[in-house]
Amino acid sequence: MSTNSTTTNSAAQTAANVANAVKNEAAKRFGAEAAAKLVVGTIPAPQAAPQAKPEAEAKPEADEKPKRTRKTAAPMQEAKPEPKQEAKPEATAAPKQPEPLVSIPTETAEERAERMQKELQTTLQKLTKLQDLNKKRTKFIETLDLLTDAKQKLTAEEDFEAKTYKIDFCGGTEYRNDKLFSIANRVLLLDFVDFMQSKIQERVSSLEAQIIEV
């Protein structure tokens, strides 16, 4: 026990003795009942030595650093496709202003009649030319038909001398034709027919081309 505790106990004992002496004296003078009611202040009894405070709980060291946690890499965000830029409509060209009308001079009645006469004359000339070309073409077509018929008949014969056809060569005079000689050989007649058909067909093609151009 420390020195302070010893001193406190001595003072308390002394105060208790004084109180008892005062009560005894009061009991003699005023009686026991009155003495019992007398309250004499006393020094409280010494208390037990204060208990030692529990040691403070060990605090985590300030220097201790929290464990580092491994951060996971954030998932890569998919690249968003850039929005397509809408093609701007091309600037429309300004509408062209109508060109000023060219004034056409009016023709007189005489000029109109003369123009129509010329057009009619041109049309008649074309018509006449077409008629002439078509007439020639028709004649050649008829000759081709005759030659085709002759070829069929000559092919059907078997004799050396043809009996259906012959070619006469005549010497012409002003008044009469004198026959010089004749060809009745079937082979020669067939060659002559083929030759004439080829020449006439070329002429027909030429006439048809001229008709188209008119």
Side-chain angles (χ1 to χ4, degrees):
M1 186 180 292
S2 63
T3 305
N4 293 334
S5 299
T6 303
T7 304
T8 302
N9 290 334
S10 297
Q13 187 65 35
T14 302
N17 293 331
V18 172
N20 290 329
V22 172
K23 285 185 176 182
N24 290 329
E25 186 65 25
K28 291 177 180 181
R29 292 184 179 184
F30 302 106
E33 296 179 358
K37 295 179 180 180
L38 180 64
V39 178
V40 180
T42 59
I43 299 174
Q47 297 179 355
Q51 298 179 358
K53 294 182 181 181
E55 294 181 1
E57 296 179 357
K59 296 181 181 180
E61 296 181 1
D63 297 339
E64 184 178 358
K65 297 181 181 179
K67 296 181 179 180
R68 295 181 180 180
T69 58
R70 184 177 181 181
K71 296 182 180 180
T72 57
M76 297 179 65
Q77 296 181 353
E78 297 182 359
K80 297 182 179 179
E82 297 181 358
K84 296 182 179 180
Q85 297 181 356
E86 297 182 356
K88 296 182 179 180
E90 297 181 358
T92 55
K96 296 182 179 180
Q97 296 182 355
E99 297 180 358
L101 299 176
V102 180
S103 59
I104 301 175
T106 57
E107 60 182 358
T108 61
E110 294 180 357
E111 292 175 346
R112 183 171 178 274
E114 185 178 357
R115 178 177 58 81
M116 292 180 66
Q117 185 68 26
K118 290 180 179 180
E119 292 178 357
L120 180 60
Q121 188 67 25
T122 303
T123 303
L124 290 174
Q125 290 177 357
K126 290 182 179 181
L127 182 59
T128 302
K129 186 176 181 179
L130 286 173
Q131 289 177 347
D132 183 54
L133 293 173
N134 186 60
K135 184 178 179 180
K136 292 179 180 180
R137 177 182 176 277
T138 303
K139 187 64 176 179
F140 282 119
I141 293 296
E142 291 176 354
T143 305
L144 281 176
D145 292 339
L146 294 173
L147 291 173
T148 301
D149 183 62
K151 185 176 182 179
Q152 292 176 353
K153 291 179 179 181
L154 290 171
T155 304
E157 293 184 11
E158 296 180 358
D159 297 334
F160 181 77
E161 296 289 336
K163 297 179 180 179
T164 54
Y165 296 97
K166 64 180 180 179
I167 299 175
D168 292 334
F169 285 86
C170 302
T173 61
E174 187 176 354
Y175 299 103
R176 65 178 183 175
N177 293 327
D178 295 331
K179 183 171 65 174
L180 300 177
F181 63 93
S182 297
I183 298 176
N185 187 296
R186 188 172 62 86
V187 176
L188 292 177
L189 292 176
L190 286 173
D191 290 341
F192 176 78
V193 170
D194 290 338
F195 175 78
M196 293 301 297
Q197 283 181 332
S198 176
K199 291 297 182 179
I200 292 174
Q201 187 60 52
E202 291 179 1
R203 182 57 178 165
V204 170
S205 300
S206 177
L207 292 172
E208 290 175 349
Q210 294 180 34
I211 291 172
I212 294 173
E213 293 178 356
V214 174

